[in-house]
Amino acid sequence: MFPTSVKNTSVLISLSFFALHTYIYPSSSLSYNKKAVVINELGGPECLKLVHNHPTPQLRPGHAIIQNQYAGLNFIDTYFRKGLYKAALPFVPGQEGGGTILAISSDDTNNDSTFQVGDVVVYGTLGAYAQYTLVPVTQLVKVPQNVSLDIAVSCYTQGLTAHYLTTSVHCGMLQTNDWCLIYSVGSGTCQWAAQMAKIQGYKVIGTCSQSKAAAVKEVGAC
């Protein structure tokens, strides 16, 4: 666990403009429609369409329906939008989200009652740009009470990737006071990684464009 002094460099969108409901629905199938950003054809940002009557996902075994409050914006989203990563059209983009469990299946995938209706969770699966997302129970992570949901969502993809890069990928070759070169240190993930590397005692050198140099210095990444 890293200290909270690591500055959050991720980008989130609050889904409050979707006028999210605050009440809890029963765990039966949900028949109402939802607002969602939908991609019907591959291409540029103009392919992102806000739809007001997109069908709400139906609960399936091993899944939960999440009422989203935040969605993370990550570079991987552009890969799906352009078709570099495959998803059947039409689809709702967004690989990172967080909110409240509205409904959860009663099969043995959750037999230890790890998750309950009303729990606040984050997840990493396609479909986060929407009011409601169907998520496999195995992809859910419960948010501790002392962590705000916006922080939890923003550190889920980029933060965990940075943690992996600075603790595991170098196989113990780096030691305290060793120099560490981080390319593209101005990117979201690498700003996290640089800060985590410094916390672990590594000396950090980073490369980035001049346009991002000020942001890198502001968060103390280098």
Side-chain angles (χ1 to χ4, degrees):
M1 182 66 67
F2 286 97
T4 55
S5 58
V6 174
K7 295 185 179 180
N8 180 6
T9 62
S10 301
V11 179
L12 296 178
I13 54 173
S14 172
L15 300 181
S16 58
F17 69 91
F18 280 155
L20 301 181
H21 302 292
T22 57
Y23 49 89
I24 300 299
Y25 287 89
S27 58
S28 58
S29 62
L30 307 177
S31 58
Y32 49 84
N33 293 329
K34 65 177 180 181
K35 295 179 182 179
V37 174
V38 179
I39 293 179
N40 293 294
E41 58 181 351
L42 304 177
E46 68 278 1
C47 295
L48 298 169
K49 304 297 184 182
L50 177 60
V51 177
H52 292 261
N53 59 349
H54 193 70
T56 296
Q58 300 298 299
L59 189 62
R60 300 204 308 258
H63 289 70
I65 294 177
I66 309 304
Q67 176 184 339
N68 294 310
Q69 184 175 344
Y70 293 98
L73 300 179
N74 294 287
F75 201 75
I76 191 175
D77 299 343
T78 68
Y79 291 169
F80 281 97
R81 171 170 53 77
K82 296 175 182 177
L84 297 176
Y85 287 2
K86 303 302 181 183
L89 293 171
F91 68 91
V92 176
Q95 282 280 103
E96 179 181 56
T100 303
I101 295 178
L102 286 184
I104 190 166
S105 65
S106 58
D107 61 9
D108 58 5
T109 58
N110 193 37
N111 58 4
D112 59 353
S113 299
T114 301
F115 300 102
Q116 305 288 341
V117 170
D119 283 347
V120 178
V121 295
V122 296
Y123 62 87
T125 189
L126 196 64
Y129 291 8
Q131 280 182 287
Y132 310 106
T133 303
L134 183 69
V135 181
V137 172
T138 55
Q139 296 294 315
L140 297 176
V141 176
K142 191 177 297 186
V143 178
Q145 291 185 351
N146 62 340
V147 177
S148 63
L149 181 57
D150 58 339
I151 295 297
V153 174
S154 65
C155 73
Y156 186 77
T157 298
Q158 294 187 14
L160 289 178
T161 301
H163 185 277
Y164 163 74
L165 292 174
T166 56
T167 60
S168 302
V169 75
H170 52 72
C171 300
M173 292 185 292
L174 279 175
Q175 302 297 324
T176 301
N177 292 321
D178 283 349
W179 286 99
C180 175
L181 174 62
I182 298 180
Y183 289 95
S184 300
V185 74
S187 68
T189 297
C190 290
Q191 285 187 45
W192 283 89
Q195 294 178 80
M196 292 180 181
K198 291 176 68 175
I199 289 172
Q200 294 180 82
Y202 308 145
K203 299 176 182 179
V204 176
I205 301 174
T207 67
C208 69
S209 64
Q210 290 185 347
S211 62
K212 293 187 177 182
V216 171
K217 293 179 180 178
E218 183 180 352
V219 300
C222 288

